[in-house]
Amino acid sequence: MLIGKPKALPYSLVTSKADYLNRRRFLSTVLAGGTAAAIGGRLAVPEAYAQSGRKLSGLTKSPFSTTEKMNSFEDITTYNNYYEFGTGKDEPAVYAKNFKTTPWTVSLEGEVTQPKTLDMDAIMKLAPLEERIYRHRCVEGWSIVVPWIGFSLSALLKQVVPTAKAKYISFETYFDTKQMPKWRSAGIQLPYVEGLRMDEAMHPLTLLGVGLYGQVLPNQNGAPLRLVVPWKYGFKSIKSIVKIKFVEKQPPTTWNIAISNEYGFYSNVNPKVDHPRWTQAKERRLGEVFRRDTLMFNGYDQVASLYAGMDLKKNY
Ligand SMILES: Nc1nc2c(c(=O)[nH]1)N[C@H]1C(S)=C(S)[C@@H](COP(=O)(O)O)O[C@H]1N2
Ligand SMILES: [Mo]
């Protein structure tokens, strides 16, 4: 089922997105004098490691990890959605290069008995760092498998005491027009905001991501820290978080503000509820030719009980 040779791919079988990566792989293989066997896989990894960021060691393995084949470091770091740094998939890797992520603080505020602001050093010490290999499904119909590093978001949320009114958590991305040259063309309201219901935010699968592939997060992937909610479409996984607010009412979310009939608050991966403009029944794993079936909750069945009794067509 795995790829093989991009140059032999019938173009009709490949979306423009998968196509883009496959062409790049072909090119880099040719340049490196590689063999066709290397094209589909991890050719770029050693090189990418060499030019990459600070290593994170002492990682614990997570029982939540999938055993599916991981996408390469290059796939994960050159095919991104991060509209503050451009709407093209290849733009964040270029325009986020000099994004300043130190010093960095995150505030915990809103419906809490005492608000708190933590810096990255403090956050990194809250819990043992785990490697969690998660499937990641973008609402646009592509998916990747990423070896994230981090720990359950609950470890951070537990640093404050919520009041009885706290029912949801809202998240906000850092925003600076000077550092985000592409912000005007983003076409969405910034700063990027997202939200989760309290039980979703406290679920052990919900990850506070600080790295991937054994190193700190590359800027284009949301450095220095981001959310990763593997059973929801990728846009829920907000990058470069600076503010976490405990709130009483369901908070506004960026894509729901932009196009409310297409992107709801819950946004659980659901092959039975199509996007108004395309099917969600299948997905293309980057690097593969044939589309896979999309799984309910992206295969993370353990969250099903959070939505017992809810109409997931209505709560899309
Ligand atoms: N601040 C911010 N966070 C964001 C986005 C964004 O544009 N801005 N894009 C989202 C979307 S649509 C996806 S699919 C994932 C992509 O994460 P990745 O680039 O690390 O794979 O980030 C999400 N988080
Ligand atoms: Mo996405």
Side-chain angles (χ1 to χ4, degrees), residues 76 79-84 136 138-139 142 144 148 173 188 192 220-222 226 234-240 255:
I76 295 167
Y79 191 80
N80 299 105
N81 272 337
Y82 198 164
Y83 277 33
E84 290 89 331
H136 172 100
C138 177
V139 74
W142 51 274
I144 49 177
W148 299 112
T173 295
I188 50 174
Y192 198 99
Q220 60 268 40
N221 293 93
R226 63 156 323 149
F235 63 83
K236 297 293 288 184
S237 294
I238 181 173
K239 296 176 171 179
S240 307
W255 281 100

Side-chain angles (χ1 to χ4, degrees), residues 210-232:
V210 298
L212 59 81
Y213 258 118
Q215 63 178 60
V216 298
L217 278 178
N219 288 346
Q220 60 268 40
N221 293 93
L225 86 172
R226 63 156 323 149
L227 188 66
V228 181
V229 194
W231 71 92
K232 293 177 180 283

